[in-house]
Amino acid sequence: MYKKIKAWAKNLKRQIFVLYFAYKDKRVPLSAKIFTACIVAYAFSPIDLIPDFIPILGYLDDIIVVPLGVMISLKMIPKDVISDCEVKAEEMMKLGKPKNWIVGSLILILWVVIFIMAFMKIYDLFN
């Protein structure tokens, strides 16, 4: 069971690298580029939309959202582009994944805004 999960995770990681190169390709339609760029940016983001320390919900994005987004993106991209990008992805996997601090910062800002709004509501309740 552990080996299957590990193989699935490695394949998912490889597919994200494929998408990383595919969204930059000129042969990919604009709608697919935008969707794929969002999935890749989120996957490479060092900060999750739902933090992992939140029980159950924290891992749902890693288990459901990212794989579903990868699957949809792969269906939107032409097969020949995917084939070309697989070679580049193998090379990049050896070097490690890039971090997307821009998306990470946006997610962090979103959480700060949520906490500020919650604090303001609680403050209003007690005054």
Side-chain angles (χ1 to χ4, degrees):
M1 179 75 167
Y2 177 73
K3 288 182 182 181
K4 285 183 182 181
I5 293 172
K6 191 173 179 180
W8 174 80
K10 187 173 182 177
N11 185 43
L12 180 65
K13 182 179 177 181
R14 187 180 63 76
Q15 289 172 335
I16 292 170
F17 281 105
V18 169
L19 294 177
Y20 175 76
F21 289 108
Y23 86 85
K24 296 178 179 184
D25 197 293
K26 294 178 182 177
R27 300 172 285 175
V28 176
L30 182 61
S31 59
K33 280 185 179 193
I34 293 170
F35 184 79
T36 302
C38 290
I39 295 299
V40 169
Y42 184 74
F44 287 157
S45 172
I47 301 171
D48 289 341
L49 187 60
I50 304 171
D52 290 341
F53 64 82
I54 297 174
I56 300 171
L57 293 177
Y59 289 104
L60 283 181
D61 63 335
D62 298 330
I63 296 171
I64 296 172
V65 175
V66 173
L68 187 62
V70 168
M71 183 181 73
I72 293 169
S73 293
L74 288 173
K75 292 189 183 289
M76 297 171 75
I77 297 171
K79 301 288 182 207
D80 56 326
V81 174
I82 292 173
S83 299
D84 294 345
C85 293
E86 284 176 341
V87 175
K88 295 176 186 175
E90 289 298 326
E91 293 173 14
M92 185 178 232
M93 281 184 69
K94 294 174 185 172
L95 301 175
K97 79 174 187 175
K99 299 253 187 261
N100 190 329
W101 288 102
I102 294 170
V103 174
S105 299
L106 291 175
I107 292 170
L108 187 62
I109 289 169
L110 174 70
W111 277 107
V112 168
V113 169
I114 289 170
F115 281 127
I116 289 171
M117 290 175 60
F119 179 77
M120 289 171 57
K121 291 288 183 186
I122 292 170
Y123 182 77
D124 287 343
L125 285 174
F126 290 106
N127 283 330

